[in-house]
Amino acid sequence: MSKVIGIDLGTTNSCVSVMENEEPVIIPSGSGSRTTPSVVAFTKNGERLVGEAARRQAVTNTDRTISSVKRHMGTDWSVRIDGKEYKPQTISAMILMQLKKEAEEFLGEPVTEAVITVPAYFNDIQRQATKDAGRIAGLNVKRIINEPTSAALSYGLNHGEAQKVMVYDLGGGTFDVSIIEIGDGVIEVLATAGDNHLGGDDFDERITNWIVSNFKAEQGVDLRKDFAAMQRVKEAAEQAKKELSSMDSTHIMLPYLTQAKGEPLHLDMVLSRVQFQKLVDDLIERTAGPVQSALNDAGIAASELGRVILVGGSTRIPAVQDKVRMLTGKEPSKNINPDECVAKGAAILGSTLQGNAIVAAGTGESLLLLDVIPLSLSIETVGGVATRLVDRNSTLPIRYSRVFSTAAPYQRDVEIHVLQGERPMARDNRTIGKFRLKGIKRAPAGVPQIEVTFDIDANGILTVSAKDLDTGKEQSITITANERMSESEIRQAMQDAAQYAGVDQVRKEAMELTSEARSLAARTQQALKEQGKQMDKVLKKQIKNDCSAVQKLLSKIRLDKVTEMDVQELRAAKEQLEQSASGILM
Ligand code: AMP
């Protein structure tokens, strides 16, 4: 049975893990690092770069480099490059394909099964988009799991004692906090809260703004007008932020950053930890609300927490750790790597789904995982009211039915408007789908019995159906929110991805072959020069012809548009030359 990999598909970085000898291990990227930047780039010669290679060239290729795509998951955002439009799912799929490839190289076998993690606060559309990205990448996504749950799972393996744990997860783009109960072989998520748009990227932006306004004040130049300079400033801002996690101040130096009146301008500034904390104080304060609301929903006081686990790169910031101490009165646990525990938890779950029981250390019992739904689900009823069917933080999987009736006499059809969110009025919540139940039996208002059922699977993905109990007519939801990819769009994207993998192979072959052919032609010409005089005239002519045939093909080939046919032609010409010139080539 093929192994299931656990993927933490992060806003900034992604991480992959797999179970080996009952332990989750991290799969290193091609460049040897333990996480892969979630960055995709399209080079001008048609090459696609993912990960470290894409991140490195971002400065010089800003408008063709995509980072933080996770922030767009489940929205109608798209990017157009070389006339082709890419949705967030397709870009995420490119990252997943790279991770899949690296896992295959590491394991030496094909990988088709995965568990992917998402922020607990992701709504149905965002979860579905993540699952679709997996499918496009050729992965069977066995489960979508909340990141904090996943972190707790890797924690649960090492610590058998029963306790309530807070997972405080501040990554690159999202903040999640979950209260989890571990014990008696069960990991149960009691409550979860968070902010979909809060993370390390916001801290970087504050430093960037600080640099830009200081530069303007010092040099009178607005860096925002210089695209390439801005990219360097953004990178330097992130670097400075990271350094301030271990140092009291940092030196930001960017020589030759921009030009004014034909003169180069350099940037040289010092940022102290205290200044940085002032810049981001309100952002860190914003984590307090979700922490309190998760505690309230779980019905516990902070003093009842056994442990506080930090997840996500941004929890390395001392001011963030101080805030956690202040909010919980606890010293956060630091024995878990905040960058890796989410992927490891997903690998553990993947292995369990494959039928291998996970055993809680200390208890010797297998673990059961109970996840929750992050936001309440309702349908719109008379007067634009959101009538709740499933409360947030209900344990998954869940199925809930309720009977509704018509509002007008002799109404023949009803619209079922499905909403996600906590607000009492429909318009203040997020629409996740609409459909009509038609052919209701003619009857006075309030007489027809329409049963609406919400079915949420273990991934947190929802199916809604409505049934007229009189006629037995039933209709299931077709999500109309245009952020969701249709089945045909997903199929098209899967085909494109598979085709790209093929094109990629041809391009790789062509690159190797052209370089070999070029070297062969050069060596042949050199040999002709040195030995031409003593050679048989017919053979010399033959070699010259074969060599110019190779050179002609080489000058024609364009790597960004190369086809299988070009490769075959060049290979044949090269073989012909190797044969005829074998006598003069040593
Ligand atoms: P994640 O999404 O968990 O990979 O977190 C990525 C975020 O953590 C990015 O915004 C990074 O800049 C940030 N990060 C990583 N290392 C550090 C560090 N040492 N200090 C501050 N922030 C960091």
Side-chain angles (χ1 to χ4, degrees):
M1 210 186 300
S2 96
K3 289 201 164 174
V4 183
I5 53 171
I7 302 179
D8 169 9
L9 186 59
T11 309
T12 326
N13 293 300
S14 295
C15 187
V16 194
S17 174
V18 70
M19 288 299 266
E20 295 238 284
N21 304 322
E22 295 177 22
E23 282 288 330
V25 297
I26 296 295
I27 296 179
S29 73
S31 59
S33 57
R34 295 170 72 83
T35 58
T36 298
S38 307
V39 184
V40 173
F42 299 83
T43 66
K44 300 230 163 62
N45 63 10
E47 223 187 324
R48 195 160 82 196
L49 304 175
V50 179
E52 196 50 49
R55 199 187 63 82
R56 250 186 281 119
Q57 55 80 73
V59 180
T60 51
N61 191 26
T62 37
D63 48 342
R64 299 165 72 89
T65 302
I66 298 132
S67 28
S68 300
V69 71
K70 186 171 174 178
R71 284 196 169 199
H72 304 299
M73 287 301 261
T75 70
D76 58 4
W77 176 93
S78 69
V79 60
R80 184 168 276 280
I81 290 169
D82 296 332
K84 195 166 162 45
E85 190 162 339
Y86 298 95
K87 292 195 168 192
Q89 293 91 319
T90 336
I91 300 288
S92 291
M94 291 171 189
I95 300 168
L96 290 171
M97 277 168 85
Q98 172 81 6
L99 301 176
K100 175 177 183 280
K101 199 173 98 194
E102 280 163 2
E104 285 173 342
E105 278 161 16
F106 178 82
L107 292 168
E109 60 184 49
V111 171
T112 52
E113 316 279 310
V115 169
I116 305 181
T117 66
V118 294
Y121 227 60
F122 255 24
N123 64 29
D124 178 71
I125 294 170
Q126 293 165 307
R127 281 163 202 268
Q128 188 63 50
T130 307
K131 224 178 160 198
D132 291 345
R135 257 182 86 195
I136 296 168
L139 287 168
N140 171 26
V141 181
K142 291 184 81 84
R143 187 70 70 85
I144 294 286
I145 174 182
N146 290 335
E147 286 158 13
T149 314
S150 194
L153 201 48
S154 63
Y155 196 82
L157 256 192
N158 313 329
H159 301 80
E161 75 264 37
Q163 58 185 311
K164 293 193 176 83
V165 170
M166 174 184 284
V167 180
Y168 180 104
D169 179 357
L170 190 60
T174 51
F175 171 60
D176 274 318
V177 57
S178 299
I179 313 291
I180 288 165
E181 186 162 18
I182 306 179
D184 291 339
V186 176
I187 293 187
E188 181 172 7
V189 182
L190 300 177
T192 172
D195 187 332
N196 250 341
H197 290 274
L198 179 64
D201 294 353
D202 300 301
F203 300 172
D204 300 349
E205 198 183 317
R206 290 285 169 90
I207 302 180
T208 303
N209 292 344
W210 177 84
I211 295 175
V212 169
S213 59
N214 273 6
F215 197 80
K216 180 103 197 275
E218 283 170 16
Q219 311 272 5
V221 173
D222 186 2
L223 288 172
R224 294 205 183 277
K225 294 188 178 134
D226 184 340
F227 220 54
M230 277 308 284
Q231 200 61 32
R232 284 179 68 195
V233 169
K234 282 180 193 165
E235 281 193 8
E238 187 187 2
Q239 189 57 32
K241 173 189 76 176
K242 287 185 181 170
E243 280 170 13
L244 289 173
S245 291
S246 54
M247 296 193 299
D248 287 335
S249 77
T250 177
H251 207 143
I252 306 167
M253 266 192 296
L254 294 170
Y256 300 95
L257 182 61
T258 189
Q259 283 198 347
K261 297 183 191 120
E263 290 293 312
L265 292 179
H266 316 293
L267 184 145
D268 190 347
M269 289 175 192
V270 172
L271 179 63
S272 71
R273 190 187 276 181
V274 175
Q275 273 172 303
F276 166 64
Q277 285 172 2
K278 274 200 200 119
L279 291 176
V280 298
D281 192 45
D282 61 311
L283 294 173
I284 297 177
E285 181 56 38
R286 265 172 58 193
T287 65
V291 164
Q292 201 46 55
S293 114
L295 284 169
N296 290 347
D297 283 356
I300 61 163
S303 57
E304 292 172 62
L305 289 171
R307 252 169 229 269
V308 177
I309 309 176
L310 299 181
V311 178
S314 301
T315 58
R316 290 205 162 95
I317 297 173
V320 170
Q321 296 177 4
D322 288 344
K323 178 62 69 184
V324 176
R325 277 186 205 100
M326 202 202 86
L327 291 170
T328 62
K330 288 252 147 21
E331 184 57 34
S333 299
K334 290 205 186 125
N335 53 345
I336 281 198
N337 184 326
D339 303 323
E340 297 177 358
C341 60
V342 171
K344 283 185 175 173
I348 294 168
L349 178 62
S351 166
T352 339
L353 293 173
Q354 207 72 321
N356 306 318
I358 22 176
V359 174
T363 65
E365 288 166 13
S366 51
L367 285 175
L368 176 68
L369 183 70
L370 299 172
D371 226 327
V372 295
I373 172 161
L375 295 167
S376 303
L377 293 166
S378 25
I379 64 169
E380 179 172 350
T381 51
V382 181
V385 170
T387 299
R388 197 169 284 185
L389 266 83
V390 183
D391 281 328
R392 90 181 133 135
N393 290 325
S394 303
T395 305
L396 299 180
I398 184 170
R399 191 184 160 89
Y400 188 84
S401 296
R402 196 159 149 186
V403 177
F404 292 87
S405 194
T406 46
Y410 309 116
Q411 194 174 329
R412 298 302 306 273
D413 59 341
V414 286
E415 184 177 72
I416 310 287
H417 181 187
V418 187
L419 304 151
Q420 195 163 31
E422 309 310 314
R423 307 282 296 273
M425 298 306 290
R427 63 168 183 272
D428 299 321
N429 292 303
R430 180 172 180 144
T431 297
I432 53 168
K434 278 184 186 174
F435 67 99
R436 296 194 87 80
L437 178 66
K438 293 187 180 149
I440 298 170
K441 222 159 96 181
R442 272 174 65 82
V447 171
Q449 299 249 298
I450 297 154
E451 184 184 57
V452 176
T453 304
F454 279 34
D455 220 328
I456 310 159
D457 69 9
N459 301 309
I461 290 173
L462 163 78
T463 311
V464 185
S465 53
K467 186 173 177 185
D468 179 353
L469 294 180
D470 279 335
T471 62
K473 275 216 168 92
E474 192 166 356
Q475 184 74 43
S476 276
I477 199 158
T478 36
I479 296 279
T480 52
N482 53 7
E483 293 88 350
R484 219 176 203 191
M485 274 177 130
S486 68
E487 185 57 26
S488 66
E489 275 183 298
I490 294 172
R491 284 193 187 285
Q492 182 61 45
M494 284 168 80
Q495 265 176 20
D496 285 355
Q499 198 182 350
Y500 185 86
V503 171
D504 215 19
Q505 189 55 34
V506 173
R507 193 175 288 142
K508 202 167 141 206
E509 267 177 58
M511 277 202 276
E512 283 165 11
L513 189 64
T514 48
S515 115
E516 286 166 14
R518 217 165 259 129
S519 141
L520 175 69
R523 282 186 293 130
T524 307
Q525 279 186 323
Q526 186 60 26
L528 281 174
K529 225 194 242 166
E530 287 164 8
Q531 308 166 38
K533 287 204 176 96
Q534 308 94 290
M535 274 177 74
D536 172 67
K537 279 210 174 96
V538 180
L539 178 61
K540 188 173 162 186
K541 187 152 188 246
Q542 172 74 44
I543 296 175
K544 270 190 167 172
N545 284 347
D546 292 345
C547 192
S548 60
V550 167
Q551 284 170 321
K552 212 160 143 193
L553 287 173
L554 280 172
S555 68
K556 240 178 45 187
I557 278 191
R558 293 226 1 230
L559 283 179
D560 55 334
K561 293 195 177 136
V562 71
T563 63
E564 183 67 51
M565 189 80 134
D566 297 333
V567 171
Q568 277 176 17
E569 254 184 325
L570 180 60
R571 180 167 290 122
K574 178 181 158 249
E575 279 168 9
Q576 170 67 34
L577 176 60
E578 271 166 349
Q579 214 176 18
S580 62
S582 63
I584 58 166
L585 291 173
M586 288 302 126

